[in-house]
Amino acid sequence: MNGTVCPVVPTGVGTGVLIAGGNFDSTDHNWIYDNWRYGTMQFWVPAALRDEFDPSKQYDTSHHNHTTDNHMGIAPDGKIAHNGLDHWWDEEGEGNCWEDNTYSRGERTDNFTVAPPSCADGGSVFTPGAFVKDAGFLSCSQYDRNDPTFRHPPACEWFDSPSKPAASGAKTDQGADLLAAPLVALTGLVFFVGLGRRRRVRSAA
């Protein structure tokens, strides 16, 4: 259709910053707002999905990423434009932390099972990615922009537009969205960031 752009790799509708398989990435001092799914999203990339078959590399992504000093759900002019959830994380990796951000609802909204320690205290303690959160990778990995069927793979909701976020920010069941994690993970992209290199993400959603 005229005006429709199909990406080479799938990128989620309604997500501001996506870190997929990144290490030592810093997302700081941004205005991340009006993203109806997630403000930021972070998940690991298993070695086998990167054609790395050394067992020692299986869990070598999604470590030491810091998300700090951002304005979440707030536009530069001060207008409130909530994100669906401010932060989504699959629990993978050590040294990850989210702190000193300002939130449109007055508090952070996220899907964290347990909030990780502060950056100064070392951030998250290593755990593997939670299967229930990462379960949708295979479905979305079928994406193929040249195939009319798999431009929107069955059972992958990543390309569906989310509902407008509620002002309450109540933590609802994210089950459907958990099954929507995209193949961007398989590429080691960070929506804006590459795998395993320290970079600074500066984007206004």
Side-chain angles (χ1 to χ4, degrees), residues 125-188:
V125 176
F126 174 76
T127 58
F131 177 77
V132 68
K133 296 185 179 184
D134 292 330
F137 284 10
L138 292 180
S139 171
C140 295
S141 71
Q142 298 176 62
Y143 171 81
D144 182 347
R145 68 175 181 173
N146 296 314
D147 186 318
T149 299
F150 291 101
R151 287 176 191 165
H152 191 155
C156 176
E157 299 183 10
W158 192 244
F159 306 107
D160 298 334
S161 295
S163 299
K164 186 173 182 177
S168 66
K171 291 188 179 181
T172 57
D173 181 6
Q174 296 291 314
D177 287 335
L178 298 182
L179 298 179
L183 174 63
V184 169
L186 310 188
T187 71

Side-chain angles (χ1 to χ4, degrees), residues 70-202:
N70 299 289
H71 292 80
M72 304 299 300
I74 305 170
D77 63 2
K79 180 181 178 181
I80 298 300
H82 300 300
N83 298 307
L85 282 182
D86 291 311
H87 307 297
W88 190 100
W89 176 43
D90 69 352
E91 315 286 335
E92 164 78 11
E94 65 179 342
N96 299 302
C97 57
W98 294 256
E99 68 181 29
D100 296 330
N101 300 295
T102 302
Y103 295 99
S104 58
R105 299 180 178 98
E107 60 181 2
R108 179 174 72 195
T109 60
D110 58 57
N111 72 330
F112 303 169
T113 303
V114 178
S118 69
C119 300
D121 289 333
S124 60
V125 176
F126 174 76
T127 58
F131 177 77
V132 68
K133 296 185 179 184
D134 292 330
F137 284 10
L138 292 180
S139 171
C140 295
S141 71
Q142 298 176 62
Y143 171 81
D144 182 347
R145 68 175 181 173
N146 296 314
D147 186 318
T149 299
F150 291 101
R151 287 176 191 165
H152 191 155
C156 176
E157 299 183 10
W158 192 244
F159 306 107
D160 298 334
S161 295
S163 299
K164 186 173 182 177
S168 66
K171 291 188 179 181
T172 57
D173 181 6
Q174 296 291 314
D177 287 335
L178 298 182
L179 298 179
L183 174 63
V184 169
L186 310 188
T187 71
L189 294 177
V190 180
F191 196 45
F192 311 100
V193 182
L195 176 67
R197 299 177 62 187
R198 180 179 290 279
R199 297 187 186 173
R200 192 173 292 258
V201 178
R202 293 195 179 280

